Amino acid sequence: MKPFTYERALSPAEAAASAARQPAARFIAGGTNLLDLMKLQIEVPPHLIDVNGLGLDGIEATSEGGLRIGALVRNTDLAADERVRRDYGVLARALLAGATGQLRNKATTAGNLLQRTRCPYFYDTAQPCNKRQPGSGCSAIGGITRQLAVIGASEACIATHPSDMAVAMRALDATVETVKADGVARHIPIAGFHRLPGETPHIETALEPGEFITAVTLPPPLGGQHFYRKVRDRASYAFALVSIAAVVQRDGTGRVALGGVAHRPWRVEAAEADLPRGAKPTMAAILDGARPTHDNAFKVTLAQRTLASVLAEAKG
Amino acid sequence: MNGEVRDLAVDTRTTLLDALREHLQLTGSKKGCDHGQCGACTVMVDGRRIYSCLTLAVMHEGDEVTTIEGLGQPGNLHPMQAAFVKHDGYQCGYCTPGQICASVAMLEEIKAGMPSHATADLTAAPRLTPEEIRERMSGNICRCGAYSNIVDAITEVAGRQA
């Protein structure tokens, strides 16, 4: 790792102000993704702001009937929370489908949202990558693309977002609460939180420099049956080729979000009207405009079949 | 650190794993991949299993760290260590300290009712099946392939605890 200085922040506003003063600084919470990237010198922050002591580790009921999840709630604790298991099964399932027990014990709610892509060319510092080094080019295009995006990609980047948790939160219409460097709080709907790569794949979220996530809120429970179906190359501890977060109601209506296919959790609300007609028309509408590569064209078929399997299970 | 207070001055870059091995001479915890992919560095911090290679020593001031040395010693083995010996839950032994620390903490997670990817009913208490054990131990790789014996060792200890 490159040398860095280290501080422990005492309040969210102070953390945000400190980060704004030192634009190359990084917040560190669980550290499981950041330290990995620092060892590889993909991330080289000169300063770390440890936010573990901020007390943002509670899960509380909101007055609207939903849940407010502190930014520092560990993935283990969120998945084990009785209310999450009972009312937001899709979220508990998504969390448990990701990483390992050791990583979930450290990984936080905000950190999970902010984790970086696992595109192999992002990780290989000997290769150009627009995300790692803006303007250097994309080695993934024309390279080994089996794991990479099939929709929403650009000429600059075909990476995918690796999170399972975020896919479930997209299906649930969560809201990300933040505090900016000037102390102003804001609420960002999850639908607008992660960006598509476009010409600036190194800018991955709607966060401003220094802006600090304090919580994620979930709206009141949707009822229905909850599913998170993850298809991957091994049975555990692997990133998704395709994953589906779904909440299906008794009348066949519902919500569907996809992981493993795009630069952000992929959901097309208009396509959900097709759900009672089955997986084929629904997935055709969700993945309308997909431009898969030769290596990952299978994901389009796999997504449709995975949704078919979820809908079959929902019917019982 | 294993029940004792230890004072250390380290470079900010020092991982907990390097602090254990290079500064405190607790070399039971192993460095395999150093990237959170193999599990050989697993230790318990405040009772929870984590990868000590993916956390900084400076982030653990005041925390209680338990390593394989703190679980048991020759002549006074932890039941999980004894069960690994009895069931031949290793071949080369390199992943074993991490496997044992992970197993001990994992059984506590099941006891606390925490679900896993292998848990069929999220609202019921998890059952101690081989499928549950395999899923919950997927963060510890054994390249000698002693997995079936590791599951046997864990199952025996869990049965005794139940």
Side-chain angles (χ1 to χ4, degrees), chain B residues 66-96:
Chain B
T66 305
T67 67
I68 191 71
E69 290 91 343
L71 278 182
Q73 290 287 334
N76 183 25
L77 294 180
H78 184 280
M80 192 65 81
Q81 290 172 314
F84 267 65
V85 173
K86 178 180 165 191
H87 289 278
D88 229 357
Y90 50 82
Q91 185 173 298
C92 82
Y94 197 81
C95 72
T96 312

Side-chain angles (χ1 to χ4, degrees), chain A residues 155-303:
Chain A
E155 294 303 312
C157 180
I158 58 171
T160 54
H161 195 270
S163 173
D164 294 298
M165 183 197 80
V167 181
M169 286 182 169
R170 180 69 182 88
L172 293 168
D173 274 333
T175 301
V176 182
E177 295 185 8
T178 69
V179 58
K180 294 200 281 187
D182 58 8
V184 174
R186 84 170 164 140
H187 291 185
I188 308 169
I190 189 95
F193 184 79
H194 293 106
R195 295 163 45 111
L196 289 180
E199 293 301 303
T200 53
H202 59 290
I203 304 173
E204 296 172 347
T205 69
L207 293 178
E208 294 174 8
E211 191 168 2
F212 179 74
I213 299 174
T214 51
V216 175
T217 52
L218 302 179
L222 295 166
Q225 296 184 73
H226 288 223
F227 300 91
Y228 190 78
R229 189 70 49 85
K230 181 174 180 179
V231 184
R232 43 186 162 173
D233 281 334
R234 55 185 189 192
S236 186
Y237 199 17
F239 290 97
L241 291 167
V242 164
S243 69
I244 289 191
V247 178
V248 184
Q249 304 295 341
R250 201 180 287 263
D251 63 1
T253 62
R255 299 179 178 196
V256 179
L258 267 67
V261 298
H263 199 258
R264 67 183 185 202
W266 193 257
R267 180 173 172 208
V268 179
E269 277 88 339
E272 291 164 5
D274 285 319
L275 265 176
R277 299 201 297 123
K280 208 168 179 177
T282 309
M283 196 51 73
I286 291 174
L287 292 180
D288 186 30
R291 289 177 56 209
T293 66
H294 178 266
D295 287 351
N296 67 21
F298 74 94
K299 286 191 179 189
V300 175
T301 316
L302 184 60

Side-chain angles (χ1 to χ4, degrees), chain B residues 19-94:
Chain B
L20 294 172
R21 292 183 54 84
E22 309 294 337
H23 294 262
L24 297 170
Q25 283 71 52
L26 292 166
T27 52
S29 306
K30 295 294 185 277
K31 184 178 282 193
C33 68
D34 210 24
H35 286 278
Q37 296 174 7
C38 76
C41 69
T42 301
V43 301
M44 285 179 270
V45 173
D46 294 336
R48 288 193 157 198
R49 54 180 173 157
I50 66 166
Y51 295 139
S52 61
C53 75
L54 282 187
T55 193
L56 297 172
V58 291
M59 296 168 73
H60 293 285
E61 195 174 336
D63 288 354
E64 281 184 29
V65 181
T66 305
T67 67
I68 191 71
E69 290 91 343
L71 278 182
Q73 290 287 334
N76 183 25
L77 294 180
H78 184 280
M80 192 65 81
Q81 290 172 314
F84 267 65
V85 173
K86 178 180 165 191
H87 289 278
D88 229 357
Y90 50 82
Q91 185 173 298
C92 82
Y94 197 81

Side-chain angles (χ1 to χ4, degrees), chain A residues 3 13 25 67 85 91 95-96 116 120 147 156 158 178 186 190 225 265 282 308:
Chain A
L67 284 184
R85 286 154 72 177
L91 178 57
L95 285 158
L96 294 170
R116 311 294 305 275
Q147 295 276 350
I158 58 171
T178 69
R186 84 170 164 140
I190 189 95
Q225 296 184 73
T282 309

Side-chain angles (χ1 to χ4, degrees), chain A residues 8 36 39 77 102 236-237, chain B residues 35-36 48 53 58 138 140:
Chain A
R8 293 183 189 135
D36 180 30
K39 288 180 181 189
D77 297 314
Q102 287 96 321
S236 186
Y237 199 17
Chain B
H35 286 278
R48 288 193 157 198
C53 75
V58 291
S138 72
N140 293 78

